Amino acid sequence: MTKHRHWNWYVSAPFYKRTYIQIAHQLDDDLFACLGTRTQDAVVADCGCGPGVVTEKFLEEGARRVFAVDVNPRMLSQARERLSDAVAAGQVIPLQRAADAQLFTDLRHQFLQGGGFDVILFKRSLYNHRDEALPILQSAAASLNPGGVLVVIHGERSLRRYAFGPGLRPMSHTPYHLFNRAISKIGQVLGLGHYQVYAQSELLDLLREAAHGGDVELIPSRQRAYNLGGVIA
């Protein structure tokens, strides 16, 4: 993918630490509650790692090795700075590249001697159109170890659910979500990049098609702006 298709990451990189609001940490809590002990001694691919917030949490939850993947050099620089000790120890492998369908094959051959992953995560990073997202997810699901988990955390397409609480009740994050969705849509209209979002049912259907026989589940969450879907190998 070319640089211009990821323009929104270049714009948001300087502000990401400030915009990692409570809902983002809540999503992390929901994720790790679902994963449970699967993170112990796990090999993880954090696809779209940003400044390494979730990568760090994987280490705190016992992961053995985390591949921190991001196409944006400024995001990856923040991750390296945050996790410098773990990078030096080889626990975190920072990689600047797009999370495409070839990524997992390359990582398995280069670093894992053909082995697989225990957890693969796309958190707010899989904004590809369906014909691009499907082969990425198929490759990811096929790269899981037995019992491994592929998780996609993705913004809800319905603006009612994404930006508001029940009954269109404004939430503390409503202004931020509205601004974020507006900027992303404007960029898409101007041809600066893709910003494909899926409704809950669409995301689960996409995961089912990619699952390679694995079980697909909706991961319980305490909020409605994002959907958490998982494939268990």
Side-chain angles (χ1 to χ4, degrees):
M1 295 185 181
T2 56
K3 177 178 176 179
H4 81 280
R5 293 184 61 183
H6 300 281
W7 68 276
N8 48 330
W9 283 290
Y10 285 84
V11 171
S12 64
F15 313 103
Y16 196 87
K17 289 181 180 178
R18 298 180 183 178
T19 59
Y20 206 91
I21 58 178
Q22 180 56 38
I23 192 171
H25 289 290
Q26 181 179 308
L27 289 168
D28 297 342
D29 292 344
D30 295 335
L31 166 68
F32 288 108
C34 169
L35 292 177
T37 59
R38 288 189 179 94
T39 56
Q40 295 297 314
D41 202 36
V43 176
V44 179
D46 184 2
C47 302
C49 68
V53 176
V54 185
T55 300
E56 185 174 32
K57 292 181 180 182
F58 272 115
L59 294 178
E60 292 170 352
E61 294 293 326
R64 170 164 45 97
R65 178 182 259 186
V66 184
F67 294 91
V69 183
D70 205 292
V71 73
N72 186 296
R74 297 187 69 176
M75 290 287 200
L76 210 57
S77 176
Q78 293 179 45
R80 285 194 180 98
E81 180 180 354
R82 172 189 293 271
L83 302 165
S84 57
D85 290 344
V87 172
Q91 289 180 283
V92 171
I93 311 296
L95 295 164
Q96 184 190 340
R97 62 172 291 176
D100 54 25
Q102 187 62 31
L103 169 67
F104 307 102
T105 299
D106 290 347
L107 294 182
R108 293 175 69 189
H109 288 166
Q110 184 176 353
F111 296 100
L112 302 176
Q113 293 76 49
F117 298 90
D118 301 299
V119 182
I120 297 176
L121 172 66
F122 291 86
K123 181 184 178 185
R124 302 190 298 171
S125 58
L126 192 73
Y127 292 106
N128 309 66
H129 289 306
R130 195 179 193 284
D131 59 348
E132 293 180 340
L134 181 58
I136 295 172
L137 293 175
Q138 287 173 327
S139 178
S143 299
L144 293 172
N145 289 324
V149 182
L150 163 64
V151 178
V152 179
I153 299 176
H154 190 76
E156 167 61 48
R157 183 163 59 83
S158 166
L159 191 61
R160 176 189 293 267
R161 287 185 58 87
Y162 176 73
F164 297 95
L168 287 180
R169 175 168 55 89
M171 308 290 285
S172 61
H173 54 259
T174 296
Y176 168 73
H177 277 346
L178 289 175
F179 175 79
N180 184 61
R181 182 66 62 90
I183 291 296
S184 299
K185 286 296 185 182
I186 289 170
Q188 186 178 34
V189 170
L190 294 177
L192 296 175
H194 292 323
Y195 184 71
Q196 181 66 43
V197 287
Y198 302 95
Q200 185 179 101
S201 60
E202 294 169 332
L203 177 62
L204 292 177
D205 285 344
L206 181 60
L207 289 172
R208 289 187 187 101
E209 189 168 350
H212 287 278
D215 295 327
V216 176
E217 299 180 0
L218 183 66
I219 297 171
S221 176
R222 292 166 291 170
Q223 56 74 51
R224 24 187 290 143
Y226 290 87
N227 298 308
L228 288 71
V231 175
I232 303 175

